[in-house]
Amino acid sequence: KNEVEQSPQNLTAQEGEFITINCSYSVGISALHWLQQHPGGGIVSLFMLSSGKKKHGRLIATINIQEKHSSLHITASHPRDSAVYICAVPEYGNKLVFGAGTILRVKS
Amino acid sequence: DTGVSQNPRHKITKRGQNVTFRCDPISEHNRLYWYRQTLGQGPEFLTYFQNEAQLEKSRLLSDRFSAERPKGSFSTLEIQRTEQGDSAMYLCASSLSGENSPLHFGNGTRLTVT
């Protein structure tokens, strides 16, 4: 079974700071998901990537398949970015194994 | 399309009662997943359906839990004789077939067993 580790568990940043959240997994995968969960509980898919880098607005996700590691970066962070960020990898098919999440709080 | 819809959003029940949750996936999605999330943890897989067939159940899903997707559209998750340990957020997600098809999540049903 794939083990997914995220760091840090908690992160507090000042508005405008550059943020990095890391994810490591134990078994080779075809794609990795980054998800965002707000206090209400709903989960939104941010990225699904299998190689290299993807960018969407102020969010950038990178993955190194050889090192089994991915990072999620947020540039020019804003209080509305405050949420739980979760990485997940497929065990098989679309059955996902999730990390415990990183709780991000951006202060104004 | 309104995305994945879950009802109810919140459910408070007394220990020993039965509860049922409903998930309406995105209409063309043939895969439907149920996950459970407790405070401070990532979601844990419970079960998934390909159309109406339940293809896998986690060992987390005790005999008190049953899920159905009778017509390959909406799904229900029933918990019988609820226990306090069942208190959690129950999340539903759907996708098309294919290993790298994006998952779309509902807002979840938060269950509190008193």
Side-chain angles (χ1 to χ4, degrees):
Chain A
K1 180 180 173 177
N2 221 331
E3 302 290 334
V4 181
E5 297 284 338
Q6 281 188 242
S7 63
Q9 288 185 315
N10 289 279
L11 182 55
T12 300
Q14 284 296 132
E15 183 173 358
E17 285 185 357
F18 181 84
I19 288 163
T20 296
I21 299 169
N22 296 299
C23 176
S24 296
Y25 51 93
S26 57
V27 178
I29 57 169
S30 57
L32 178 143
H33 300 251
W34 279 104
L35 308 158
Q36 180 191 57
Q37 186 172 31
H38 280 281
I43 292 177
V44 175
S45 179
L46 298 175
F47 294 104
M48 186 170 66
L49 70 165
S50 55
S51 66
K53 179 167 89 172
K54 284 190 175 181
K55 184 174 189 292
H56 181 69
R58 294 180 295 104
L59 300 178
I60 303 167
T62 63
I63 189 167
N64 185 318
I65 295 291
Q66 287 73 32
E67 294 187 3
K68 299 185 179 65
H69 181 270
S70 176
S71 293
L72 177 68
H73 307 284
I74 305 175
T75 62
S77 58
H78 190 275
R80 65 175 173 267
D81 297 326
S82 299
V84 179
Y85 292 84
I86 304 171
C87 84
V89 299
E91 194 162 61
Y92 52 84
N94 240 341
K95 178 187 167 186
L96 296 180
V97 176
F98 292 79
T102 294
I103 301 171
L104 172 65
R105 182 181 168 216
V106 182
K107 298 193 288 188
S108 57
Chain B
D1 190 359
T2 57
V4 179
S5 176
Q6 289 189 248
N7 288 289
R9 288 297 312 276
H10 299 93
K11 179 69 178 179
I12 300 173
T13 191
K14 292 185 177 179
R15 188 175 54 189
Q17 297 295 305
N18 299 344
V19 294
T20 300
F21 311 140
R22 176 177 170 128
C23 171
D24 287 90
I26 291 173
S27 57
E28 63 267 27
H29 285 183
N30 49 11
R31 286 193 177 172
L32 187 147
Y33 301 79
W34 284 100
Y35 288 88
R36 180 172 69 186
Q37 185 179 26
T38 52
L39 201 61
Q41 300 297 317
E44 295 175 296
F45 170 79
L46 292 179
T47 188
Y48 95 96
F49 293 83
Q50 172 94 11
N51 300 311
E52 67 276 9
Q54 188 174 19
L55 296 188
E56 186 175 349
K57 290 171 59 173
S58 164
R59 66 182 185 278
L60 294 174
L61 220 61
S62 76
D63 291 344
R64 297 183 297 105
F65 288 71
S66 63
E68 294 183 342
R69 194 182 183 197
K71 297 180 180 178
S73 56
F74 74 90
S75 175
T76 57
L77 178 67
E78 181 184 16
I79 309 174
Q80 296 182 324
R81 304 181 303 282
T82 51
E83 302 173 356
Q84 287 186 320
D86 298 331
S87 297
M89 174 74 83
Y90 290 84
L91 292 160
C92 175
S94 70
S95 75
L96 294 168
S97 297
E99 188 164 297
N100 293 330
S101 296
L103 269 181
H104 297 259
F105 284 85
N107 286 328
T109 294
R110 183 170 295 283
L111 172 65
T112 302
V113 182
T114 61

